[in-house]
Amino acid sequence: MTFSIHGIPVARGIAIGRAVLVASSRVDVAHYFIQPEEVRAEIERLGVARDAVVDELQRMQSDMPKDMPPELGAMLDVHLMLLQDDSLAYEIRRWIKERLYNAEWALVSQLEVVVRQFEEMEDDYLRERKADLEQVIERVIRRLKGAAAPVAAPPPRPARQHDLLLDDTLDVPLVLVAHDLSPADMLQFKKSVFAGFVTDVGGKTSHTAIVARSMDIPAVVGARSASQLVRQDDWVIIDGDAGVMIVDPSPIILAEYGFKQRQGELERGRLARLKNTPAVTLDGQKIELLANIEQPGDTEAAVAVGAVGVGLFRTEFLFMGRAGQLPDEEEQYAAYRAAVEGMHGMPMTIRTIDIGADKPLDDRRPDTHLNPALGLRAIRWSLSEPAMFLTQLRAILRAAAHGQVHLLIPMLAHASEIRQTLELLDRARAQLDARGAVHGRVLLGAMIEIPAAALQLRLFLRHFDFLSIGTNDLIQYTLAIDRADESVAHLYDQLHPAVLRLIADTIAEGARQGKMVAVCGEMAGDPEMTRLLLGLGLRSFSMHPSQILQVKQEVLRADAGKLSDWARAVLESDEPARLLAGE
């Protein structure tokens, strides 16, 4: 039966494929892909764990006191029967062989399928046997966790298909459905087989959504109960434009969305022709279109779409999911150098670590702060860990010897934070000089993402060479809205008059003092905002590579001079969204 689930659209396009539920059962397990040559070893690992549980249950049976109720022995018999069921074992092995799932993921995937079958049974006794299966699977998973394989790199995602094949071959696209995905999860899946994803929670500018846009795959977040309503291997459609997931679509709906999918691919082909076209407005204004990246390898995608530099390298992804083992100076230096060299002489803006809120350092260490977004994050965390911060600063300074590096500091608000940051930067240079290490000059920039910073721009411009407006957090802190909370997503308004005033004043003050101001938040990559930002005087946009060509198209069609009066009218309006819509 066809039904729709509505959420928040965060990455455009259409995805059609089979649903893959991550941690959809009660069992919390690691999900990762293995390499094809590891299939045999993974199946053997599964077999060893299953045999260990069989031995454990058989010992329990033989050691059972005679005065124990016979029902307990019968329950153990059922568990042993399930463990030794050839059909169950075959299906679990199939997940490993065909989907390249790790053993734990294969177990919970098959558990989800069988539990659904049990729930549909009319016989009460048989329906209740799902609890036995869950217990058996949990025992095997506990055994596997005791000898878990390391996380393997996912296999590359196959090319997107033009035609939907309604069968169970390996070529069928897969769509990820989860309650939530951490930024580290997203990076792990970044080059994987998934054609799109849906999560129960999240907001338009949660980090999960941001990484989804960088992956350039359709995505919907804040879909509430999607992971509970969708079954493993259901056919689903993700409409990343409308924020809708359609489950078990009819042939007519499939045909309609297949057509939309092909139209989207044709549009991407047309945009690709703009790659080498300079970003210049109709009245001759040169516009700088930069890329946001998460990993050094992302520079390849930035260059491929014609980015003229990187406006934001989010270094925190080098630190995540490492069980407290932070990257040392050499590892960081190698990563930053690779990123710098990957841009072939174009500028590379490296932001110091921005950990906290929706970007925890380690998923296994839950943030216990009452409000992580207002807690020890970004520069606050760096200043509280000076040894870590000095290590990162030294690595960035060394990478600057290999190209143009701009150093960007996040979440500054106080003069004391600026002073401490500058002192640590000087100390890092002195440490490198003391050991004779080569390092380069950097331009120093500050993120404007707290209203307090936007209201004391003259202080910032005395100390920094450039400013970069982080609109995601600026909106969050100006409007007192958690940007990762779907329950208040409707209040997250990038066109709120207060937000626009802070952005406009920052751009204008930078122009007065002859210093560059960029926007590196999600607003920069929204083609519906391009004309307004041009009218406000913005000349440097930084966004995910997947958004650059759409924004360039808007730039090429715009007359920046004629837009300035209109932009001022929008700025003075009590309801800018209405004026923008009626442009």
Side-chain angles (χ1 to χ4, degrees):
M1 177 180 175
T2 302
F3 63 94
S4 300
I5 300 172
H6 294 260
I8 302 166
V10 295
R12 299 179 177 185
I14 305 294
I16 305 172
R18 293 281 195 185
V20 174
L21 298 183
V22 170
S24 54
S25 75
R26 300 174 188 173
V27 187
D28 184 19
V29 301
H31 298 74
Y32 58 88
F33 292 97
I34 62 173
Q35 298 300 320
E37 61 270 19
E38 297 172 323
V39 167
R40 179 183 291 274
E42 195 70 5
I43 290 175
E44 288 177 358
R45 190 168 77 92
L46 174 66
V48 168
R50 188 197 66 169
D51 291 345
V53 174
V54 168
D55 290 343
E56 180 184 18
L57 295 181
Q58 287 175 338
R59 283 197 306 272
M60 289 173 64
Q61 275 188 327
S62 60
D63 297 340
M64 188 182 300
K66 293 182 179 180
D67 58 351
M68 293 297 289
E71 290 80 9
L72 182 57
M75 183 192 75
L76 291 176
D77 285 335
V78 170
H79 285 201
L80 283 166
M81 180 186 68
L82 289 169
L83 277 169
Q84 296 168 322
D85 181 0
D86 289 339
S87 62
L88 179 63
Y90 172 81
E91 292 300 329
I92 295 169
R93 290 195 299 268
R94 189 170 67 84
W95 290 111
I96 297 173
K97 289 190 289 187
E98 296 186 3
R99 294 284 178 84
L100 298 179
Y101 289 177
N102 64 303
E104 294 89 342
W105 192 357
L107 279 163
V108 295
S109 296
Q110 187 59 24
L111 173 62
E112 182 71 25
V113 171
V114 179
V115 163
R116 293 282 188 176
Q117 294 172 355
F118 274 123
E119 289 174 345
E120 292 172 356
M121 293 178 178
E122 295 182 3
D123 186 284
D124 290 340
Y125 174 81
L126 292 175
R127 193 162 56 242
E128 291 170 3
R129 297 287 62 79
K130 72 174 184 178
D132 293 310
L133 180 64
E134 288 170 343
Q135 292 166 11
V136 165
I137 296 296
E138 286 174 18
R139 279 185 177 274
V140 178
I141 287 173
R142 281 197 294 272
R143 283 284 178 176
L144 285 167
K145 282 185 173 182
V151 174
R157 179 159 59 99
R160 203 174 280 175
Q161 292 189 356
H162 292 269
D163 299 309
L164 182 64
L165 303 176
L166 292 174
D167 59 28
D168 292 313
T169 68
L170 295 180
D171 293 330
V172 172
L174 302 179
V175 171
L176 191 65
V177 181
H179 176 70
D180 194 14
L181 292 169
S182 72
D185 290 333
M186 292 299 299
L187 276 184
Q188 183 177 324
F189 289 133
K190 191 164 185 177
K191 294 179 181 178
S192 70
V193 298
F194 298 113
F197 78 85
V198 174
T199 61
D200 296 343
V201 300
K204 194 173 183 68
T205 56
S206 63
H207 217 80
T208 300
I210 292 171
V211 179
R213 281 187 282 275
S214 77
M215 293 166 67
D216 193 23
I217 60 173
V220 174
V221 301
R224 303 300 176 101
S225 55
S227 67
Q228 298 172 9
L229 296 174
V230 178
R231 303 182 182 195
Q232 194 77 249
D233 249 21
D234 273 349
W235 278 101
V236 297
I237 296 171
I238 297 178
D239 185 338
D241 300 303
V244 175
M245 177 170 66
I246 302 170
V247 183
D248 193 19
S250 67
I252 294 176
I253 295 175
L254 277 172
E256 177 185 348
Y257 276 93
F259 175 75
K260 289 183 179 180
Q261 191 177 50
R262 291 189 292 274
Q263 290 295 106
E265 290 169 356
L266 289 172
E267 176 61 21
R268 280 191 291 273
R270 285 192 289 268
L271 287 174
R273 299 171 190 167
L274 300 178
K275 172 192 170 182
N276 297 317
T277 303
V280 180
T281 62
L282 294 174
D283 57 334
Q285 295 285 322
K286 294 181 179 179
I287 307 302
E288 188 177 50
L289 298 183
L290 306 165
N292 295 346
I293 66 172
E294 284 86 30
Q295 297 283 358
D298 295 343
T299 55
E300 184 178 343
V303 172
V305 293
V308 296
V310 167
L312 177 62
F313 178 3
R314 296 184 172 97
T315 61
E316 50 270 16
F317 287 95
L318 299 175
F319 291 72
M320 289 180 178
R322 301 171 61 105
Q325 299 297 314
L326 301 184
D328 61 18
E329 182 180 327
E330 289 305 315
E331 182 180 347
Q332 290 189 59
Y333 163 64
Y336 305 146
R337 177 178 176 176
V340 170
E341 292 178 341
M343 291 308 294
H344 309 292
M346 291 181 283
M348 166 64 62
T349 303
I350 303 176
R351 185 178 68 184
T352 60
I353 185 171
D354 183 3
I355 285 293
D358 65 343
K359 292 175 287 182
L361 189 63
D362 194 327
D363 293 339
R364 285 168 287 187
R365 298 186 198 169
D367 198 324
T368 57
H369 295 91
L370 292 176
N371 192 332
L374 301 180
L376 192 66
R377 58 166 295 198
I379 191 60
R380 300 171 182 177
W381 187 72
S382 294
L383 293 176
S384 73
E385 299 282 349
M388 181 283 304
F389 194 34
L390 282 167
T391 298
Q392 182 174 38
L393 291 174
R394 290 194 302 269
I396 294 172
L397 289 170
R398 289 172 61 193
H402 301 279
Q404 294 186 61
V405 171
H406 302 170
L407 177 60
L408 184 59
I409 311 297
M411 207 176 169
L412 289 164
H414 302 272
S416 60
E417 292 173 335
I418 296 173
R419 184 180 65 254
Q420 291 177 68
T421 299
L422 295 176
E423 288 172 353
L424 285 169
L425 185 58
D426 287 340
R427 192 188 307 177
R429 289 193 184 98
Q431 290 172 343
L432 291 173
D433 288 337
R435 70 187 202 213
V438 177
H439 59 91
R441 179 178 177 273
V442 297
L443 292 181
L444 188 61
M447 293 280 288
I448 302 298
E449 50 191 340
I450 299 177
L455 294 171
Q456 50 179 345
L457 293 169
R458 292 181 182 177
L459 166 67
F460 276 70
L461 289 168
R462 282 204 303 271
H463 295 286
F464 294 97
D465 301 305
F466 68 96
L467 302 177
S468 189
I469 304 173
T471 53
N472 306 338
D473 274 330
L474 184 62
I475 297 167
Q476 169 173 254
Y477 294 132
T478 302
L479 302 182
I481 291 168
D482 184 347
R483 62 189 177 99
D485 186 347
E486 73 277 7
S487 64
V488 292
H490 63 288
L491 298 174
Y492 186 92
D493 182 9
Q494 61 183 357
L495 288 171
H496 190 285
V499 172
L500 292 182
R501 174 56 63 188
L502 293 174
I503 293 171
D505 288 351
T506 302
I507 295 170
E509 187 63 31
R512 275 192 291 271
Q513 299 199 31
K515 293 193 175 181
M516 190 269 287
V517 175
V519 170
C520 66
E522 290 302 294
M523 190 182 290
D526 184 348
E528 294 180 0
M529 296 296 297
T530 303
R531 295 168 69 82
L532 177 59
L533 291 172
L534 288 171
L536 294 177
L538 185 70
R539 297 297 180 263
S540 183
F541 297 66
S542 189
M543 67 207 76
H544 291 294
S546 63
Q547 299 168 313
I548 285 177
L549 294 176
Q550 276 189 307
V551 171
K552 181 183 282 190
Q553 180 173 256
E554 293 299 318
V555 168
L556 297 173
R557 294 171 175 175
D559 186 320
K562 291 181 179 178
L563 287 172
S564 58
D565 289 342
W566 167 75
R568 278 194 294 272
V570 173
L571 196 62
E572 297 298 328
S573 172
D574 292 334
E575 296 184 272
R578 288 191 176 184
L579 202 57
L580 193 69
E583 177 196 354

